[in-house]
Amino acid sequence: MSLHPPEHAQILVVGGGPSGSYAAACLALEGFHVVLLEATEFRGSYHIGESLLPSIRHHLRFISAEEKVASYGFFKKPGAAMKFNRFKREAYTDFMALGHDNNAWNVTRSEFDKILLDHAESTGTQVFQSTKVMSLTFSGERPISAQWTHGPSSESGTITFDYLIDASGRAGLMSSRYLKNRHYNASLKNVAMWAYWRNTDLYARGAAAEGAPYFEALTDESGWAWFIPLSESLTSVGVVREQLAFHQSAQSHRSRGSQSFMPSPTTPSMRFWDASSTSSSTDSSSHLLSNTPSCGTPPSSPSSPTLPFSPGGSWSAPMGAEQRYRKALDLTPGVKRLLGLDGVMVRGESEADTVRTASDYSYSASSYAGEYFRIVGDAAAFIDPFFSSGVHLAMTSGLSAAASIAASIRRDCPESEAAEWHSQRVGVSYTRFLIVVLSAYKQIRAQSKDVLCDVGEDNFDKAFSFLRPVIQGNADLGPRLSEVEVQNAIEFCAALFNPINLDAASALRKHFEEIRNIARDASLLPPASSAAEAEAEIRRILEKINARHMIHREHNGLHSLEEEALGAGYGIRLQRGSLGLLPVESSETRVAQH
């Protein structure tokens, strides 16, 4: 095989992360000529975003890669636990409730990403690593060629193409450099800090939920923390805080110094859900360690949040990062107990390699496609580490790009309609997670209020039963769901931001066909100058979504990617060998027929 890219590709994919590799594999399996250019050499390239959702299995199965990941030895993830505030017990979403093989995994991203890239190559994709796209050339608004450089040899060249998939990650080749249509979410201006630990405990050791990731709201309401085991001996522990709280912490450290976190010498290294454990602590989270029925077995809720993310890059932490990180951990009594007395932070060659940071990673765009190009993964949008939507949205958008390009080549529909379908598909999937994430933050930032549960409830099990289709990824791809399940998740969240006017929503539903294209606007949350403005914008988004999703309680099922009509009324034809788009009946048409 040549060391350098060919002069022409039917489809050029820029970037070899999950979205790019997935899209490339889908298209190569359809018999198309696919060339993928990856800027780095995939030998241990670091990336955060280590926890996956159950939907990953359905994505992998479609490209015949499930067994490669399942047999690799990644740490199995049976579900996830989330403690939204210090006053109530954590909720648990049980992935295994839908089947014994429905577990997801916590992964080392460099290894996971390489499996996907190697698999894409095995399907027939021509992969060129250490080959960076420097610029694009356009004919009007259509990209037609890319200028590349090969790092090791310093050689350069040009490749022309019929279709482009921008999977360039957070850098966002098309959105940032050419379209300039990226917008940052004002409601999610956070800073993430994380490090790796050894000799920690596991969540729910000895129970069915053993080893599940644990998430906990900070007691000062400024954010949340994650505790994700990557193996029996290595755990990822991170904190996400509002930027204001992060900077105030830095100022406090400069003015008064910082007290480093250490587990209390009087607090033993105890285990969650250990029925033999007792605790005399009066801390509001002490129920996790006490001998109560709720500690002996996982909560029965079929839903809950999940994990870190894939912002597409990280950078050196400033001086004092470790002190700020440890100080933030002091606000997480549950995580501190899991770290225990024996937990040891893994040291890198420098502080920047020990405690890593990332910020300004929550963004979206006004569109995700144009004629003969598609934007996928982090190049398109990223929400937040919360609920671990990064890889799920990367693969969903990768599949969407592949299906819409295949549809264009096979003339299932005009290219303009295929591009519009992809843009709306990415927007809808993004918006569902965005609303659920914002709902969770509303509870985290007001822990004394019953936001995600009824007054007097000591848990969030009922809330998670509504949110399950979204936070496990099944609203896009997975077990067939009733349309009611998906809509209930959205309407449950709508109520958190003040219920929309039901008469107005009803009127909008009657004019469904006139506003079908509104979905592409639902992905954008414009910057808001105040919390009130932000909530008003969220309500407007929710009105649009509720208007677009007609509820019919006798509908026999919704498999979103296949049956949810978007754009000019297309759904995906999810069949190997004939991947593409086909006209589908809208919910309104089905209701009329009944």
PDB file of all heavy atoms in Angstrom, residues 266-268 270 277-287 289-291 337:
ATOM      1  N   THR A 266     -10.115   9.351  60.421  1.00  0.00           N
ATOM      2  CA  THR A 266     -11.119   8.647  61.228  1.00  0.00           C
ATOM      3  C   THR A 266     -12.148   7.940  60.364  1.00  0.00           C
ATOM      4  O   THR A 266     -13.032   7.278  60.867  1.00  0.00           O
ATOM      5  CB  THR A 266     -11.848   9.646  62.148  1.00  0.00           C
ATOM      6  OG1 THR A 266     -12.529  10.612  61.342  1.00  0.00           O
ATOM      7  CG2 THR A 266     -10.873  10.340  63.071  1.00  0.00           C
ATOM      8  N   THR A 267     -12.044   8.120  59.017  1.00  0.00           N
ATOM      9  CA  THR A 267     -13.007   7.499  58.120  1.00  0.00           C
ATOM     10  C   THR A 267     -12.382   6.295  57.451  1.00  0.00           C
ATOM     11  O   THR A 267     -11.448   6.431  56.681  1.00  0.00           O
ATOM     12  CB  THR A 267     -13.458   8.498  57.029  1.00  0.00           C
ATOM     13  OG1 THR A 267     -13.985   9.656  57.653  1.00  0.00           O
ATOM     14  CG2 THR A 267     -14.518   7.873  56.130  1.00  0.00           C
ATOM     15  N   PRO A 268     -12.849   5.084  57.735  1.00  0.00           N
ATOM     16  CA  PRO A 268     -12.268   3.905  57.112  1.00  0.00           C
ATOM     17  C   PRO A 268     -12.586   3.842  55.629  1.00  0.00           C
ATOM     18  O   PRO A 268     -13.482   4.517  55.152  1.00  0.00           O
ATOM     19  CB  PRO A 268     -12.956   2.749  57.858  1.00  0.00           C
ATOM     20  CG  PRO A 268     -14.266   3.318  58.290  1.00  0.00           C
ATOM     21  CD  PRO A 268     -13.988   4.760  58.607  1.00  0.00           C
ATOM     22  N   MET A 270     -14.491   2.491  53.280  1.00  0.00           N
ATOM     23  CA  MET A 270     -15.721   1.708  53.311  1.00  0.00           C
ATOM     24  C   MET A 270     -16.279   1.521  51.919  1.00  0.00           C
ATOM     25  O   MET A 270     -15.892   2.199  50.979  1.00  0.00           O
ATOM     26  CB  MET A 270     -16.737   2.396  54.223  1.00  0.00           C
ATOM     27  CG  MET A 270     -16.183   2.655  55.619  1.00  0.00           C
ATOM     28  SD  MET A 270     -17.375   3.361  56.736  1.00  0.00           S
ATOM     29  CE  MET A 270     -18.333   1.926  57.124  1.00  0.00           C
ATOM     30  N   SER A 277     -21.748  -3.185  56.478  1.00  0.00           N
ATOM     31  CA  SER A 277     -21.118  -1.960  56.951  1.00  0.00           C
ATOM     32  C   SER A 277     -22.101  -1.136  57.754  1.00  0.00           C
ATOM     33  O   SER A 277     -23.291  -1.110  57.477  1.00  0.00           O
ATOM     34  CB  SER A 277     -20.620  -1.127  55.763  1.00  0.00           C
ATOM     35  OG  SER A 277     -19.648  -1.832  55.046  1.00  0.00           O
ATOM     36  N   THR A 278     -21.593  -0.449  58.725  1.00  0.00           N
ATOM     37  CA  THR A 278     -22.413   0.485  59.491  1.00  0.00           C
ATOM     38  C   THR A 278     -21.640   1.768  59.637  1.00  0.00           C
ATOM     39  O   THR A 278     -20.432   1.809  59.497  1.00  0.00           O
ATOM     40  CB  THR A 278     -22.737  -0.064  60.897  1.00  0.00           C
ATOM     41  OG1 THR A 278     -21.515  -0.325  61.588  1.00  0.00           O
ATOM     42  CG2 THR A 278     -23.545  -1.359  60.791  1.00  0.00           C
ATOM     43  N   SER A 279     -22.353   2.825  59.887  1.00  0.00           N
ATOM     44  CA  SER A 279     -21.698   4.116  60.032  1.00  0.00           C
ATOM     45  C   SER A 279     -22.473   4.958  61.005  1.00  0.00           C
ATOM     46  O   SER A 279     -23.688   5.012  60.980  1.00  0.00           O
ATOM     47  CB  SER A 279     -21.618   4.838  58.672  1.00  0.00           C
ATOM     48  OG  SER A 279     -21.134   6.138  58.855  1.00  0.00           O
ATOM     49  N   SER A 280     -21.775   5.621  61.885  1.00  0.00           N
ATOM     50  CA  SER A 280     -22.425   6.512  62.840  1.00  0.00           C
ATOM     51  C   SER A 280     -22.384   7.943  62.362  1.00  0.00           C
ATOM     52  O   SER A 280     -22.828   8.845  63.040  1.00  0.00           O
ATOM     53  CB  SER A 280     -21.716   6.407  64.199  1.00  0.00           C
ATOM     54  OG  SER A 280     -20.350   6.760  64.054  1.00  0.00           O
ATOM     55  N   SER A 281     -21.838   8.139  61.140  1.00  0.00           N
ATOM     56  CA  SER A 281     -21.714   9.493  60.607  1.00  0.00           C
ATOM     57  C   SER A 281     -23.076  10.128  60.438  1.00  0.00           C
ATOM     58  O   SER A 281     -24.048   9.493  60.077  1.00  0.00           O
ATOM     59  CB  SER A 281     -21.001   9.459  59.240  1.00  0.00           C
ATOM     60  OG  SER A 281     -21.057  10.722  58.631  1.00  0.00           O
ATOM     61  N   THR A 282     -23.144  11.402  60.683  1.00  0.00           N
ATOM     62  CA  THR A 282     -24.382  12.138  60.471  1.00  0.00           C
ATOM     63  C   THR A 282     -24.394  12.807  59.116  1.00  0.00           C
ATOM     64  O   THR A 282     -25.336  13.511  58.782  1.00  0.00           O
ATOM     65  CB  THR A 282     -24.542  13.226  61.557  1.00  0.00           C
ATOM     66  OG1 THR A 282     -23.404  14.091  61.513  1.00  0.00           O
ATOM     67  CG2 THR A 282     -24.661  12.604  62.923  1.00  0.00           C
ATOM     68  N   ASP A 283     -23.342  12.604  58.301  1.00  0.00           N
ATOM     69  CA  ASP A 283     -23.314  13.148  56.951  1.00  0.00           C
ATOM     70  C   ASP A 283     -24.526  12.633  56.188  1.00  0.00           C
ATOM     71  O   ASP A 283     -24.922  11.486  56.321  1.00  0.00           O
ATOM     72  CB  ASP A 283     -22.023  12.718  56.241  1.00  0.00           C
ATOM     73  CG  ASP A 283     -21.895  13.367  54.869  1.00  0.00           C
ATOM     74  OD1 ASP A 283     -22.552  12.884  53.940  1.00  0.00           O
ATOM     75  OD2 ASP A 283     -21.143  14.351  54.760  1.00  0.00           O
ATOM     76  N   SER A 284     -25.131  13.499  55.349  1.00  0.00           N
ATOM     77  CA  SER A 284     -26.355  13.123  54.650  1.00  0.00           C
ATOM     78  C   SER A 284     -26.156  11.997  53.670  1.00  0.00           C
ATOM     79  O   SER A 284     -27.118  11.404  53.202  1.00  0.00           O
ATOM     80  CB  SER A 284     -26.917  14.336  53.898  1.00  0.00           C
ATOM     81  OG  SER A 284     -25.941  14.848  53.015  1.00  0.00           O
ATOM     82  N   SER A 285     -24.907  11.666  53.312  1.00  0.00           N
ATOM     83  CA  SER A 285     -24.679  10.543  52.395  1.00  0.00           C
ATOM     84  C   SER A 285     -24.334   9.269  53.143  1.00  0.00           C
ATOM     85  O   SER A 285     -23.997   8.260  52.544  1.00  0.00           O
ATOM     86  CB  SER A 285     -23.543  10.887  51.422  1.00  0.00           C
ATOM     87  OG  SER A 285     -22.340  11.063  52.142  1.00  0.00           O
ATOM     88  N   SER A 286     -24.450   9.286  54.472  1.00  0.00           N
ATOM     89  CA  SER A 286     -24.034   8.121  55.249  1.00  0.00           C
ATOM     90  C   SER A 286     -24.925   6.918  55.011  1.00  0.00           C
ATOM     91  O   SER A 286     -24.542   5.800  55.320  1.00  0.00           O
ATOM     92  CB  SER A 286     -24.035   8.473  56.739  1.00  0.00           C
ATOM     93  OG  SER A 286     -25.347   8.816  57.167  1.00  0.00           O
ATOM     94  N   HIS A 287     -26.138   7.125  54.420  1.00  0.00           N
ATOM     95  CA  HIS A 287     -26.999   5.983  54.132  1.00  0.00           C
ATOM     96  C   HIS A 287     -26.335   5.022  53.168  1.00  0.00           C
ATOM     97  O   HIS A 287     -26.669   3.849  53.113  1.00  0.00           O
ATOM     98  CB  HIS A 287     -28.322   6.469  53.533  1.00  0.00           C
ATOM     99  CG  HIS A 287     -28.140   7.102  52.208  1.00  0.00           C
ATOM    100  ND1 HIS A 287     -27.808   8.422  52.070  1.00  0.00           N
ATOM    101  CD2 HIS A 287     -28.206   6.586  50.953  1.00  0.00           C
ATOM    102  CE1 HIS A 287     -27.699   8.715  50.787  1.00  0.00           C
ATOM    103  NE2 HIS A 287     -27.933   7.627  50.085  1.00  0.00           N
ATOM    104  N   LEU A 289     -23.543   3.866  53.367  1.00  0.00           N
ATOM    105  CA  LEU A 289     -22.671   2.964  54.098  1.00  0.00           C
ATOM    106  C   LEU A 289     -23.401   2.241  55.214  1.00  0.00           C
ATOM    107  O   LEU A 289     -22.815   1.428  55.921  1.00  0.00           O
ATOM    108  CB  LEU A 289     -21.507   3.765  54.704  1.00  0.00           C
ATOM    109  CG  LEU A 289     -20.700   4.595  53.716  1.00  0.00           C
ATOM    110  CD1 LEU A 289     -19.655   5.401  54.466  1.00  0.00           C
ATOM    111  CD2 LEU A 289     -20.043   3.700  52.680  1.00  0.00           C
ATOM    112  N   SER A 290     -24.661   2.559  55.400  1.00  0.00           N
ATOM    113  CA  SER A 290     -25.370   1.986  56.538  1.00  0.00           C
ATOM    114  C   SER A 290     -26.075   0.693  56.177  1.00  0.00           C
ATOM    115  O   SER A 290     -26.246   0.350  55.021  1.00  0.00           O
ATOM    116  CB  SER A 290     -26.391   3.001  57.059  1.00  0.00           C
ATOM    117  OG  SER A 290     -27.360   3.256  56.062  1.00  0.00           O
ATOM    118  N   ASN A 291     -26.509  -0.020  57.205  1.00  0.00           N
ATOM    119  CA  ASN A 291     -27.160  -1.306  57.010  1.00  0.00           C
ATOM    120  C   ASN A 291     -28.658  -1.079  56.779  1.00  0.00           C
ATOM    121  O   ASN A 291     -29.473  -1.213  57.667  1.00  0.00           O
ATOM    122  CB  ASN A 291     -26.939  -2.181  58.252  1.00  0.00           C
ATOM    123  CG  ASN A 291     -27.432  -3.596  58.031  1.00  0.00           C
ATOM    124  OD1 ASN A 291     -27.834  -3.964  56.938  1.00  0.00           O
ATOM    125  ND2 ASN A 291     -27.377  -4.394  59.087  1.00  0.00           N
ATOM    126  N   ARG A 337     -14.901   8.606  49.881  1.00  0.00           N
ATOM    127  CA  ARG A 337     -14.974   7.294  50.512  1.00  0.00           C
ATOM    128  C   ARG A 337     -14.481   6.204  49.570  1.00  0.00           C
ATOM    129  O   ARG A 337     -13.852   5.240  49.989  1.00  0.00           O
ATOM    130  CB  ARG A 337     -16.403   7.002  50.979  1.00  0.00           C
ATOM    131  CG  ARG A 337     -16.836   7.831  52.179  1.00  0.00           C
ATOM    132  CD  ARG A 337     -18.189   7.341  52.705  1.00  0.00           C
ATOM    133  NE  ARG A 337     -18.608   8.118  53.873  1.00  0.00           N
ATOM    134  CZ  ARG A 337     -19.329   9.226  53.837  1.00  0.00           C
ATOM    135  NH1 ARG A 337     -19.719   9.697  52.669  1.00  0.00           N
ATOM    136  NH2 ARG A 337     -19.661   9.870  54.938  1.00  0.00           N
TER     137      ARG A 337
END
